[in-house]
Amino acid sequence: MLLQIPNVFSKEEVRYIRQRLEQANWQDGQLTAGHIAINCKDNEQLSEEDPFAIELGDEIIKRLGNHPLFISAALPHKVFPPMFNRYQGGGTYGFHVDNAIRKPKTSSQRVRTDVSSTLFFSEPEEYEGGELVIQDTYGEQRVRLPAGDLVLYPSTSLHQVTPVTSGARYASFLWTQSMVRSDEKRRLLFDMDCAIQQLVQDVPNHPSIIKLSGNYHNLLRQWAEI
């Protein structure tokens, strides 16, 4: 499932964040690349211990933790602290699959990467290239979202960031360990949840709401790992 979540941050908030990011201490992204990814990764990242990265990452987790659409789609159990990258001057990240298990530098807790997310802090017109290309069952999906918007997709997906040929692409990326490991099951639960919420709006006293809601929670109870 690939899903856009709009307006995680407002345009005014993005302008402030961009100012801070442009003044940040960027490092070679290959410092955090594995032995395979190092051959296709060419970008810059903030250290996981960077004070602003920690501050902004905490705010991202707080907002997503209160966002009904993110909760419904990701069914989060654990979230790896958000990281930040910058692509410019031809920077790219070739096709790869995210590592299955991640361990933050600032914690001993490991996170299984079920859902990947990218939160954009550059407007599409501010740079050329830099598309997030995700391969799924429907073919290649090419993503360039407005600043402040987030896209989430299965971490099992083969994906890349195409070369940024002009301008700069700023973004945050994070991984979520879902209560439901299977993307197919998460999608079924998400579709059911959306249908229930629509039914509540359209026919608030319909007797099927209670039954459907019960089925949703019984499936979640059966599939959840916590």
Side-chain angles (χ1 to χ4, degrees), residues 70-106:
F70 179 83
I71 294 171
S72 179
L75 294 171
H77 177 44
K78 302 177 187 175
V79 179
F80 188 92
M83 300 176 67
F84 301 86
N85 57 25
R86 177 172 69 180
Y87 291 85
Q88 59 183 357
T92 184
Y93 198 163
F95 274 114
H96 63 286
V97 174
D98 294 331
N99 290 346
I101 306 295
R102 307 282 305 197
K103 179 181 171 298
K105 284 185 178 180
T106 55

Side-chain angles (χ1 to χ4, degrees), residues 35-114:
H35 67 282
I36 296 177
I38 198 169
N39 296 317
C40 63
K41 185 178 184 181
D42 179 15
N43 66 4
E44 297 171 289
Q45 291 182 192
L46 294 185
S47 166
E48 292 180 47
E49 298 162 322
D50 182 275
F52 181 62
I54 294 173
E55 175 190 340
L56 182 53
D58 288 345
E59 181 62 25
I60 292 171
I61 291 176
K62 177 182 175 182
R63 294 193 181 206
L64 294 179
N66 292 316
H67 200 298
L69 190 58
F70 179 83
I71 294 171
S72 179
L75 294 171
H77 177 44
K78 302 177 187 175
V79 179
F80 188 92
M83 300 176 67
F84 301 86
N85 57 25
R86 177 172 69 180
Y87 291 85
Q88 59 183 357
T92 184
Y93 198 163
F95 274 114
H96 63 286
V97 174
D98 294 331
N99 290 346
I101 306 295
R102 307 282 305 197
K103 179 181 171 298
K105 284 185 178 180
T106 55
S107 170
S108 61
Q109 189 177 61
R110 288 178 170 80
V111 176
R112 186 184 68 236
T113 59
D114 297 322

Side-chain angles (χ1 to χ4, degrees), residues 112-128:
R112 186 184 68 236
T113 59
D114 297 322
V115 180
S116 298
S117 300
T118 298
L119 174 57
F120 291 80
F121 288 117
S122 294
E123 298 291 356
E125 63 270 17
E126 293 181 310
Y127 59 97
E128 296 291 335

Side-chain angles (χ1 to χ4, degrees), residues 87 91 120 127-132 143-144 161-165 169:
Y87 291 85
F120 291 80
Y127 59 97
E128 296 291 335
E131 291 179 306
L132 174 62
V143 182
R144 279 167 56 95
V161 176
T162 62
V164 173
T165 55
R169 176 191 186 272

